[in-house]
Amino acid sequence: MTVSARMEVNFLQLAPYVRYIHEYDGPGDIKVPPRFIYDHELVFFTHGGGVYILDGISYTVSAGDLHVIRPHQRNSCMIPPGHARYFAVHFDYLYMGDTLDFPPEVYSDCDYTQDVLPVEEGLDERPLVEPGEVAFPSLIRTGDPLHYERLFTELLHAFTERTPGFQLEMRAILLKILRLMYLDTAYAEENANKQQGREEIDAVVLYLRDHYRESIDFARLAADLALSPNYLRTMFKKATGKSPMEYVIQCRMEKAKELILEGKHPIKRISEMVGYDDAHYFSRLFKRHEKRSPKQYADEMLHRVKSSTF
C-alpha cells in the first residue's frame, strides 16, 4: 500500500489527539481478519490475552502487556475462549487537521466476518508521524500494570463523558501513558526481572477481582499457589504497589462508586453488595479512601453531570 513520508516530532512537540477508545470486557473467542489501520493503536489487556500478527510477525500478548500497532501495518489477531478485558486506543501524535482526520466509524463499522478488510481509499496515504526520541516496540511488558489500567480507565471516562475541556484531559492522560511506555521501553531489562512470579501474581489479581465481596483466606490462597503467605504478600506488593488486602479494598471502593452513581440502592445495601455488613464502617472506609463520604461523592458526581450539559 502507498504510504506518505514519515515525519518525526520531539517530545516538546507532542500533542496527541485521541480519535477513539473502547473497552471490551467479556468472552474471548474473537478473531480480527487481516487489516490496515491508519493511525496509532494501543491495546492493553487486564484479563486474558491473544496472539497478534504484525507484518507477518507473531506476538503473544498477556494480561498486563501493552500492544503497539503503527499506521499502515498489516495486522490481525486471535483472542482465545475465556474471559478477556482490554482497552484499545486509536490516536495520532499530532492533530493533523480536518483534511487528514477521519471518523472512528472507519474501525467500529467494519464487517469483521470478512476474510480480509479492504483498505480505505485515501487513508493509506496519511502521513506517518512518530516521536523521534524513542521507537516503541510492538510489545511492551509493563512494569506497573495497575498504573496503566488506572490511566486507560480515566481516558475512557473522559472520552465517554465529554465534559468541558475533555480534549485537554484526554491529551494529558495519553501523555502520561506515553511517558510510562517510554520508561518501560528504556528499562526493559529491569522490567524483565520484575516478571518473575508474574503468573502467580496475575492469578491472585484475577481471583481478588472475582471474589472481593467475600472474606478471603490469604493463607489458603497462598497455599493453593504453593507459596508462603509472606512471599505472596511481598511479591504482590512489589508487582502492584499494594498489599493483597489493600487491593481488595480498592476493588470494593471502585465497585461502590459504580453502584452509588447508578442511584438505585441505599448506602446500607451498597455496603453489603461490596462485602461490608456494617454500613457505618463502610462509610468511614469510603471517606478514608476517597476523601469524601458516599453522599458527598454522589452529590459531586451529580453536579459534574449537570454542569457538563451547559
Side-chain angles (χ1 to χ4, degrees):
M1 66 185 293
T2 303
V3 180
S4 296
R6 179 178 183 271
M7 182 175 77
E8 289 188 355
V9 292
N10 61 43
F11 285 169
L12 293 176
Q13 295 171 306
L14 284 185
Y17 164 62
V18 177
R19 176 167 289 103
Y20 180 62
I21 174 172
H22 78 275
E23 175 191 14
Y24 179 81
D25 188 359
D29 200 14
I30 299 170
K31 293 182 180 179
V32 174
R35 61 168 187 163
F36 289 95
I37 64 171
Y38 314 102
D39 53 9
H40 297 266
E41 183 177 13
L42 304 177
V43 183
F44 177 71
F45 277 86
T46 66
H47 290 72
V51 177
Y52 284 76
I53 300 176
L54 298 183
D55 291 338
I57 301 175
S58 178
Y59 299 88
T60 299
V61 184
S62 304
D65 290 342
L66 182 67
H67 184 43
V68 181
I69 307 176
R70 300 166 67 237
H72 315 306
Q73 279 189 305
R74 180 181 171 92
N75 65 91
S76 61
C77 81
M78 189 281 291
I79 299 175
H83 181 209
R85 179 175 178 250
Y86 64 84
F87 295 90
V89 179
H90 285 269
F91 72 100
D92 289 317
Y93 283 102
L94 295 173
Y95 182 70
M96 294 185 281
D98 293 345
T99 57
L100 289 173
D101 198 11
F102 61 94
E105 286 76 18
V106 166
Y107 301 128
S108 61
D109 290 352
C110 283
D111 178 8
Y112 287 99
T113 64
Q114 301 179 75
D115 293 333
V116 178
L117 296 183
V119 174
E120 294 284 338
E121 185 177 352
L123 293 183
D124 58 334
E125 299 177 358
R126 293 186 86 236
L128 177 59
V129 180
E130 296 184 300
E133 285 93 337
V134 60
F136 289 123
S138 297
L139 180 60
I140 297 176
R141 308 288 188 188
T142 66
D144 188 351
L146 289 179
H147 194 175
Y148 278 93
E149 182 178 351
R150 286 193 295 271
L151 290 174
F152 277 107
T153 301
E154 291 175 11
L155 187 60
L156 176 65
H157 183 267
F159 179 80
T160 303
E161 296 300 319
R162 295 178 177 260
T163 57
F166 78 97
Q167 288 284 8
L168 292 174
E169 184 178 8
M170 290 196 301
R171 178 173 294 176
I173 296 169
L174 185 52
L175 282 171
K176 290 181 180 180
I177 293 173
L178 293 172
R179 177 179 177 272
L180 285 183
M181 292 168 56
Y182 172 75
L183 293 175
D184 281 336
T185 300
Y187 298 104
E189 183 176 348
E190 180 178 326
N191 287 336
N193 295 330
K194 294 181 180 179
Q195 303 305 315
Q196 295 179 2
R198 177 162 171 173
E199 288 186 7
E200 290 86 352
I201 299 304
D202 286 345
V204 174
V205 167
L206 290 176
Y207 181 86
L208 296 183
R209 283 179 171 170
D210 290 339
H211 299 272
Y212 65 86
R213 301 174 185 85
E214 305 168 14
S215 178
I216 298 172
D217 185 341
F218 291 106
R220 175 64 182 274
L221 182 58
D224 289 344
L225 293 169
L227 303 174
S228 73
N230 285 338
Y231 182 78
L232 171 61
R233 190 180 306 109
T234 300
M235 291 298 294
F236 191 92
K237 187 154 189 174
K238 183 178 179 181
T240 68
K242 299 180 182 295
S243 70
M245 192 64 238
E246 288 172 338
Y247 187 76
V248 168
I249 293 173
Q250 176 182 299
C251 291
R252 289 173 174 176
M253 295 301 108
E254 292 301 322
K255 184 61 179 179
K257 288 192 289 185
E258 291 180 19
L259 294 170
I260 289 170
L261 293 180
E262 286 180 4
K264 298 179 181 179
H265 310 285
I267 296 302
K268 186 178 188 308
R269 176 58 182 150
I270 291 174
S271 173
E272 295 169 349
M273 293 170 74
V274 299
Y276 297 104
D277 294 331
D278 186 338
H280 294 293
Y281 175 73
F282 162 73
S283 295
R284 291 198 303 270
L285 192 60
F286 186 95
K287 187 171 184 178
R288 188 188 313 159
H289 193 271
E290 296 297 326
K291 312 304 180 188
R292 52 203 159 171
S293 69
K295 185 179 185 307
Q296 289 170 332
Y297 176 79
D299 291 344
E300 181 179 330
M301 293 300 107
L302 180 61
H303 177 71
R304 285 190 184 182
V305 171
K306 287 182 177 179
S307 299
S308 69
T309 62
F310 294 99

